[in-house]
Amino acid sequence: MDGNGRWARQRGLSRAEGHRQGVKALKPVVKEASRLGIRVLTVFAFSTENWQRPPEEVDALMALLVEFLRSETLELKAEGVLIRTIGAIDDLPPVSLAALHWASQETATQSRMILNLALNYGSRDEIVRAVNRWMAQRHPADEPELTESALTAQLDTVGLPDPDLLIRSSGELRLSNFMLWQCAYAEIYITETLWPDFGPDELRRALDDYRHRQRRFGRIG
Ligand code: IPE
Ligand code: MG
């Protein structure tokens, strides 16, 4: 959900205010995705690299996360949304963690759409944690080598399909350590729109673009 800072700067506002508007933009997009029949929507909310931002900004982001969960979880639940996470969430502040546990328990039986929050998420970190888990759990006699399916089963995204569409806001042309493994064949859609201005109409534009893609997965057309 990139572009909050630039959105704020263009208006002479603080970065924290940009993030506040960014969080506001989220609910309508989640609801529209659910309405359109999207089964899984992952939002990249906080990366393993974002800890390197000024502490006030990190604190503001963490506070907004808790605020979002407290104010929106029940409404999202009523829409059939299940909330889950990817990332090393145990390293988040205890209040954030408590709010996440509450939101995921509260929505655990919903099945219309999964809202997957990437928090303290970095794809390289995820892969290393996955390999370490695999090594700790394997029985060397029957599993001498790691396989693609064995690694997939240890990733934070276990149980989720690979993304079909990756939407990048604010015009950046990079993956920024997001689902490097899972996005092997994701279609990429880039919009100049800054995240706080990203709304349901922009989501529909991205999906419309996606509908015209020919996905070959390495085969011929
Ligand atoms: C939000 O946008 C990303 C988060 C960490 C939530 P940015 O804060 O990266 O916005 P820009 O890139 O400065 O515009
Ligand atoms: Mg950015």
Side-chain angles (χ1 to χ4, degrees), residues 114-187:
I114 294 172
L115 173 60
N116 186 32
L117 305 172
L119 289 162
N120 193 20
Y121 178 82
S123 188
R124 288 181 171 185
D125 176 68
E126 177 193 31
I127 291 168
V128 169
R129 286 187 287 104
V131 172
N132 282 325
R133 265 199 298 268
W134 177 79
M135 288 196 297
Q137 288 175 13
R138 82 196 162 118
H139 305 288
D142 31 83
E143 296 174 64
E145 282 184 0
L146 182 59
T147 60
E148 289 192 12
S149 66
L151 177 60
T152 298
Q154 298 296 341
L155 292 171
D156 296 348
T157 48
V158 62
L160 299 177
D162 284 346
D164 291 308
L165 174 63
L166 171 69
I167 299 176
R168 178 92 215 209
S169 60
S170 83
E172 303 291 3
L173 303 175
R174 54 177 171 260
L175 286 176
S176 300
N177 204 10
F178 181 74
M179 289 201 190
L180 304 179
W181 175 272
Q182 298 90 334
C183 282
Y185 277 98
E187 295 293 326

Side-chain angles (χ1 to χ4, degrees), residues 79-95:
E79 303 268 337
V81 175
L82 177 151
I83 297 174
R84 59 161 284 172
T85 60
I86 53 171
I89 61 158
D90 290 341
D91 296 331
L92 294 175
V95 279

Side-chain angles (χ1 to χ4, degrees), residues 2-22 170 193-198:
D2 205 2
N4 297 347
R6 277 161 283 175
W7 184 94
R9 183 151 35 85
Q10 287 172 2
R11 289 161 179 77
L13 301 169
S14 67
R15 292 185 59 85
E17 190 51 38
H19 294 312
R20 176 167 297 281
Q21 291 302 318
S170 83
T193 303
L194 303 174
W195 175 257
D197 292 328
F198 192 102

Side-chain angles (χ1 to χ4, degrees), residues 9-50:
R9 183 151 35 85
Q10 287 172 2
R11 289 161 179 77
L13 301 169
S14 67
R15 292 185 59 85
E17 190 51 38
H19 294 312
R20 176 167 297 281
Q21 291 302 318
V23 172
K24 260 197 194 159
L26 183 56
K27 186 167 70 174
V29 173
V30 174
K31 283 179 138 182
E32 181 68 356
S34 171
R35 198 186 66 79
L36 291 168
I38 301 294
R39 301 308 306 272
V40 183
L41 176 68
T42 298
V43 291
F44 200 178
F46 192 87
S47 75
T48 46
E49 289 75 28
N50 286 152

